[in-house]
Amino acid sequence: MKQLVLSIASIYGALSIVLGAFGAHALKKVLTQAQLESFEVGVKYQMYHAIVLLVLGFFLNFQSKLQVSMGWFFIAGTFLFSFSIYLLSLSNLLGVNFKFLGPVTPLGGLCLIIGWVLLLIIFIKGQYLPIS
């Protein structure tokens, strides 16, 4: 699981740079300001959680069910939250109605919140590697 978390962190980080540049350059001319701002929110949350996953990959061993669950909530939450925002923002441009994804974004947000609460529990229980 540790290797998976670090790999996903790297993928999310790289994709957030690519998608952020794509939004800032290519999409700036074709999306409304509101759509562009939404797209940028997805990029920011993806990068924030890529960094979180990277740090956690270095400081957790993912041997407990709590740590594994927290990792999956962060991974799934980031995917559901950010990628649903990307598709919703690009609906008009792609000519596809992605409005059915509207409820997916808050579900992704809920997964992220659960991930943060589980991380708090991990800290309270002392289930992390101390920095020497």
Side-chain angles (χ1 to χ4, degrees):
M1 181 69 181
K2 184 179 186 87
Q3 188 68 32
L4 177 68
V5 167
L6 290 169
S7 297
I8 297 281
S10 300
I11 291 167
Y12 279 173
L15 279 176
S16 68
I17 298 297
V18 169
L19 292 170
F22 181 63
H25 299 288
L27 296 179
K28 195 172 193 176
K29 299 170 184 155
V30 295
L31 295 183
T32 67
Q33 187 63 31
Q35 291 169 325
L36 192 58
E37 287 172 7
S38 289
F39 191 89
E40 288 172 356
V41 167
V43 170
K44 287 177 188 177
Y45 273 68
Q46 184 176 333
M47 179 55 87
Y48 298 153
H49 289 89
I51 294 167
V52 167
L53 286 167
L54 185 66
V55 170
L56 293 175
F58 288 123
F59 289 102
L60 299 179
N61 58 20
F62 293 93
Q63 296 299 311
S64 73
K65 187 174 181 179
L66 181 62
Q67 289 181 7
V68 170
S69 296
M70 182 266 321
W72 280 116
F73 274 106
F74 276 135
I75 291 168
T78 302
F79 183 83
L80 294 172
F81 183 85
S82 292
F83 287 86
S84 65
I85 287 178
Y86 300 147
L87 291 174
L88 287 165
S89 298
L90 296 172
S91 282
N92 291 342
L93 181 64
L94 297 174
V96 179
N97 185 352
F98 288 114
K99 294 200 189 290
F100 68 92
L101 292 175
V104 173
T105 307
L107 178 62
L110 178 61
C111 287
L112 291 173
I113 293 166
I114 292 168
W116 283 103
V117 170
L118 293 176
L119 182 58
L120 173 63
I121 294 167
I122 288 167
F123 289 155
I124 289 169
K125 289 184 165 196
Q127 292 185 4
Y128 54 92
L129 302 175
I131 300 173
S132 358

